[in-house]
Amino acid sequence: MRKSLVAITVSCLTSPVWADSCPLPLLQSKALPYEQGHDMPVTTGPYQFNLPEKPTALLAFEGVMAVYPEKEYVSYQFVSDKRVAHMLPQLTTRKLSTAALDRYVYGVDSLDDLNASDQKLIEGMRADLNLDCHAELTLYSVGKGVDVIFQDASRSDAEYRMLYFSNDSTHLISVKGTRERALTVLKSIKKRKL
């Protein structure tokens, strides 16, 4: 009896119907007014955002991290298409930029125009990132048309994430702290006048 229960369980877990039972929902779209943050502006190429309050420490690496008490932080990372462009052709059957890949992964663009192999790759990436029916993703239009994907924190992942794009690259802001702090950062994202 135990062997048959194990076989049924394994069969259910590995069947395509089970795997697709919790797909990423359609991305909800909302608008937010721009509100300048309360502290230091952070310039990120053609964009800028403000820190929500003065950090206890500011670290610079291939990005920036503002550290707050209780191990909370706001970090910024630029994922340049030039840095990862050489890897993408090894993963996909078509030429995709970093930004295009992230748009597929986070559900901004439909997988329908990809072939079965690339769809499987994107679905695998979504599984690795826990992007399924439980993920709370919203596409916000902040101020005068800066589109930002906002991912809420979850029980298994305490970070709020914001992704926005310039040309073929991705900008990523991660916030560990309150949702209010994350929304303060989100509302402060704007396009700079160059």
Side-chain angles (χ1 to χ4, degrees), residues 17-39:
V17 172
W18 182 268
D20 293 337
S21 64
C22 192
L24 188 68
L26 290 175
L27 205 54
Q28 299 297 314
S29 296
K30 295 183 180 178
L32 273 179
Y34 167 78
E35 292 178 15
Q36 184 173 330
H38 307 295
D39 207 73

Side-chain angles (χ1 to χ4, degrees), residues 18 26 29 34 43-44 49 64 70 76 92-93 95 102 105 110-111 127 139 148-149 177 183 189:
W18 182 268
L26 290 175
S29 296
Y34 167 78
T43 301
T44 62
F49 68 93
V64 176
E70 306 296 323
Y76 167 79
T92 63
T93 61
K95 185 171 170 34
D102 283 334
V105 170
S110 171
L111 301 185
L139 180 61
V148 182
I149 301 167
L183 289 174
I189 299 171

Side-chain angles (χ1 to χ4, degrees), residues 58-104:
L58 194 60
L59 309 171
F61 49 99
E62 290 184 3
V64 176
M65 178 179 277
V67 181
Y68 297 96
E70 306 296 323
K71 298 183 180 178
E72 295 182 350
Y73 56 80
V74 174
S75 74
Y76 167 79
Q77 190 172 9
F78 178 64
V79 186
S80 166
D81 189 56
K82 291 178 184 175
R83 269 182 77 197
V84 295
H86 65 284
M87 293 186 308
L88 293 178
Q90 298 169 27
L91 300 172
T92 63
T93 61
R94 67 164 60 181
K95 185 171 170 34
L96 289 176
S97 68
T98 303
L101 184 65
D102 283 334
R103 284 186 182 103
Y104 283 121

Side-chain angles (χ1 to χ4, degrees), residues 43-48 76 171 192 194:
T43 301
T44 62
Y47 295 97
Q48 174 182 313
Y76 167 79
H171 300 263
R192 293 171 53 230
L194 299 175

